[in-house]
């Protein structure tokens, strides 16, 4: 559930502002509205924090020997200076590398000319002997006029390098345009080589200094964490609204949100510290944080939603329980292989036992992995899918555990449960799996609109949600007809006396009418109809979207089928190696790599497809945009 919040305003004496904030932080129940801090102290904290963040990134890339002695304990000011030193050294190294790069390019430019000294050219020029360096394509060298005095230096890579000997400091008018004058370097090539060597030596010394500072990395991390708390406090302190009359009785005030079940703690602290408190229910325009509270089982989904960064808005639904339920099923179907599920389950159990042995709290993530592994084992058992092996290579007791209509071990076809007449066709294992996928979509999307009906039980919008629900029920049969089998699920089919085809079309039509009239209701039915008319294209496309949303659940079968095909291919590739002792290592490597890669691909598929069905299709029918942000109270952090 989403914990109800109260919007609170605290008024305190300005002279007690710092001490009151310290007590409020210690209380740790108020999520403060965003404030814009200011002041030199805050700027100083942010500067040090920024330096610490960059220094941590730089020092974190250095691998110290395992037996490195522990660093001496430094004060915060000394650590701040250490961070600045790391940044300065890094900046010096960057400049030296840029100089080396520039000088190396210059050397490369004269690599085919040998040693070049600008002073020598200048000396000869003073003696009225002007030399200039030129490069020209080899086939154009003959175009140079015989009156031009040239001295060929070399012919390499179809290019001629030569010196033009002339008393004038100008390019001859009849010189071929292909001749490129090579500018002299600012320094001799010998000096450039010396500069590069000197800079390289300096970089080595800088690297040694930076490496010697890497021992302070743990302290720098702790400083950064401590500064984040200081920055938060100073932001609140400097960003509070306050009176500026300069009186002893000047007031300061701050606004935030408190969970209803924590209000008693806040009121008690306010009475003890002489704070004035005003509180009320948040209105629709307030940006209210979301705090979720569920039992231990439902809370297992939190590691996944935290990883995704998905938080329901305060005025939206908490679908944690439904998310966990359907995601567990989706995971098992997409991973699909009971053997993979056993591996995941065993790893989770070992990690949990390790935590219990160390008397540590078992993380919810490990518990979630265990649940997902068990789900995969169950699905693999039902479909008789174990490491991609064909059923004939599995023990009979293992194949006996499978559920025949969806089992790979069963090659039979199945009659629909409502008839014994096979003339209209039978259902294959693949079709049964498709039906199961569409049924999951039918159930999940129905849950979405049932929740909507509960929310709007006292409003005509209830009928709009009911209409959307009827569309899903009717469209479910349409999907079965168009995707699974038009003969078995024909529109003229009568099941137990009910003309299901006609009923499904009627449900879609009647549901559309209800949705058209009431889905935009906001005090007036006429206004709701006009609103639907204004968006008639999107309203009509909504019916198509219902069809596509149900069909999209077929991805569970398709992705699972792809994973099974990959594992079977790996086994087929490994087949010729079986029985050859000399190739045993290659066999193991192939199986481990092949199945390991397949598991990774399956995991990516779960993130892409399993999560999508919950956060897109399901959420869209709920009207959720995941626009919330987590409840993060102003509280002390561990240093």
């Amino acid at each position: 559930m989403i914990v109800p919040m109260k919007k609170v305003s605290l008024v305190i004496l300005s002279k007690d502002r710092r001490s009151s904030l310290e007590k409020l932080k210690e209380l740790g129940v108020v999520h403060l509205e965003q404030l814009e801090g200011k002041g030199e102290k805050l700027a100083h904290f942010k500067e040090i924090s920024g330096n610490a963040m960059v220094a941590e990134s730089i020092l974190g890339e250095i691998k110290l020997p395992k037996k490195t002695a522990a660093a001496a304990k430094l004060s915060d000011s000394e650590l701040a200076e250490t961070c600045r030193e790391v940044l300065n050294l890094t900046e010096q190294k960057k400049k030296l590398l840029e100089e080396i790069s520039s000088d190396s390019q210059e050397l490369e430019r004269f690599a085919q000319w040998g040693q070049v000294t600008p002073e020598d050219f200048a000396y000869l020029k003073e003696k009225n002997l002007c030399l200039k360096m030129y490069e020209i394509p080899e086939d154009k060298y003959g175009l140079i006029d015989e009156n031009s005095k040239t001295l060929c230096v070399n012919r390499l890579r179809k290019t001629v390098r030569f010196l033009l000997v002339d008393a004038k400091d100008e390019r001859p008018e009849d010189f071929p345009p292909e001749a490129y004058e090579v500018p002299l370097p600012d320094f001799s090539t010998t000096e450039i080589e010396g500069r590069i060597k000197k800079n390289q030596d300096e970089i080595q010394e800088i690297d040694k200094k930076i490496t010697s500072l890497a021992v302070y990395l743990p302290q720098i991390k702790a400083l950064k964490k401590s500064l984040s708390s200081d920055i938060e406090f100073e932001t609140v302190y400097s960003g509070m609204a306050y009176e500026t009359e300069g009186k002893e009785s000047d007031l300061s005030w701050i606004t935030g949100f408190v969970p209803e079940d924590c209000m008693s703690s806040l009121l008690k602290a306010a009475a003890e510290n002489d704070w004035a408190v005003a509180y009320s229910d948040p209105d629709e325009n307030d940006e209210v944080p979301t705090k979720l509270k569920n039992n231990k089982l439902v809370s297992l989904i939190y590691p996944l939603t935290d990883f995704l960064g998905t938080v329901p808005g305060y005025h939206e639904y908490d679908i944690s329980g439904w998310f966990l339920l359907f995601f567990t099923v989706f995971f098992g179907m997409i991973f699909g292989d009971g053997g993979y599920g056993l591996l995941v389950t065993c790893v989770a159990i070992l990690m949990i036992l390790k935590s219990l042995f160390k008397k540590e709290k078992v993380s919810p993530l490990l518990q979630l992995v265990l649940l997902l592994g068990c789900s995969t084992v169950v699905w693999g058992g039902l479909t008789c899918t174990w490491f991609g092996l064909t059923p004939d290579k599995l023990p009979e007791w293992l194949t006996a555990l499978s559920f025949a209509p969806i089992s790979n071990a069963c090659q039979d076809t199945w009659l629909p449960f409502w008839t014994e007449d096979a003339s209209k066709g039978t259902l294959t294992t693949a079709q049964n799996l498709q039906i199961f996928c569409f049924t999951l979509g039918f159930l999940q999307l129905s849950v979405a609109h049932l929740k909507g009906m509960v929310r709007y039980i006292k409003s005509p919008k209830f009928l709009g949600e009911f209409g959307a629900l009827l569309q899903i029920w009717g469209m479910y049969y349409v999907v079965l007809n168009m995707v699974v089998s038009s003969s078995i699920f024909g529109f003229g089919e009568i099941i137990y006396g009910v003309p299901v085809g006609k009923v499904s079309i009627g449900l879609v039509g009647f549901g559309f009418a209800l949705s058209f009239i009431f889905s935009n209701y906001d005090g007036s039915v006429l206004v709701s109809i006009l609103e639907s008319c204004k968006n008639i294209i999107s309203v009509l496309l909504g019916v198509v979207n219902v069809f596509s949303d149900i069909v999209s659940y077929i991805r569970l079968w398709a992705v699972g089928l792809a994973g099974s095909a990959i594992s079977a291919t790996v086994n087929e590739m490994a087949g010729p190696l079986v029985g050859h002792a000399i190739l045993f290592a290659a066999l193991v490597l192939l199986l481990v790599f092949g199945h390991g890669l397949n598991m990774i691909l399956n995991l990516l598929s779960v993130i892409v497809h399993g999560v999508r069905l919950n956060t897109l299709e399901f959420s869209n029918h709920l009207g959720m945009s995941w626009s919330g942000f987590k409840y993060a109270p102003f509280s002390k952090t561990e240093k």
Side-chain angles (χ1 to χ4, degrees), residues 143-399:
L143 299 178
I144 298 177
D145 189 272
E146 294 180 356
N147 295 326
S148 297
K149 297 178 181 179
T150 62
L151 178 62
C152 180
V153 176
N154 59 48
R155 297 170 181 260
L156 293 172
R157 299 176 184 176
K158 298 183 179 180
T159 299
V160 177
R161 294 165 187 83
F162 64 92
L163 293 173
L164 175 65
V165 183
D166 199 346
K168 300 179 181 179
D169 190 15
E170 295 178 359
R171 181 186 179 101
E173 294 182 358
D174 56 351
F175 225 49
E178 292 85 358
Y180 166 70
E181 182 181 350
V182 179
L184 288 171
D186 294 331
F187 304 94
S188 70
T189 51
T190 303
E191 288 179 288
I192 293 175
E193 290 172 349
R195 279 159 51 98
I196 292 176
K197 180 66 171 62
K198 178 184 176 183
N199 288 343
Q200 289 174 338
D201 291 341
E202 286 188 34
I203 287 175
Q204 288 183 354
E205 289 300 317
I206 289 174
D207 285 339
K208 289 180 181 178
K209 290 181 182 179
I210 294 177
T211 301
S212 68
L213 297 176
V215 294
Y216 298 108
L217 181 59
Q219 295 182 47
I220 290 173
K221 289 181 178 179
L223 173 65
K224 191 183 73 168
K225 187 175 181 180
S226 172
L227 283 170
S228 66
S229 178
D230 294 336
I231 290 172
E232 180 188 28
F233 183 90
E234 198 60 34
T235 299
V236 174
Y237 177 79
S238 61
M240 287 181 67
Y242 57 91
E243 294 179 326
T244 57
E245 297 180 9
K247 298 179 181 178
E248 187 75 10
S249 59
D250 279 355
L251 301 176
S252 297
W253 55 91
I254 197 168
T255 304
F257 300 91
V258 178
E260 276 190 357
D261 53 4
C262 296
M263 277 301 300
S264 58
S265 300
L266 177 63
L267 295 175
K268 181 180 178 182
E272 292 174 353
N273 295 284
D274 297 325
W275 301 337
V277 181
Y279 60 93
S280 62
D281 292 328
D283 58 41
E284 292 185 358
N285 296 322
D286 287 325
E287 295 183 0
V288 188
T290 301
K291 180 182 180 182
L292 301 178
K293 184 178 181 181
N294 290 292
N295 58 47
K296 290 184 178 180
L297 176 60
V298 174
S299 299
L300 294 182
I301 198 64
Y302 291 167
L304 176 62
T305 53
D306 289 344
F307 169 75
L308 297 172
T310 52
V311 181
Y314 179 72
H315 298 289
E316 294 181 340
Y317 299 97
D318 174 19
I319 60 169
S320 301
W322 294 109
F323 198 131
L324 178 64
L325 173 63
F326 285 104
F327 180 76
T328 302
V329 177
F330 297 162
F331 186 97
M333 293 179 67
I334 291 175
F335 246 69
D337 194 297
Y340 293 173
L342 281 176
L343 292 177
V344 173
T345 302
C346 290
V347 170
I349 291 174
L350 289 175
M351 296 298 291
I352 289 173
L353 291 176
K354 180 181 178 182
S355 297
L356 294 175
F357 181 76
K358 292 183 177 181
K359 297 182 179 180
E360 298 175 348
K361 184 179 178 181
V362 179
S363 71
L365 177 59
L366 289 178
Q367 298 176 54
L368 176 62
V369 171
L370 177 60
L371 175 64
L372 298 177
C374 292
S375 169
T376 308
V377 172
V378 171
W379 183 256
L382 292 174
T383 58
C384 196
T385 307
W386 300 92
F387 291 113
L389 296 172
T390 55
D392 60 289
K393 295 180 181 178
L394 296 171
E396 290 186 8
W397 65 268
L398 203 56
T399 57

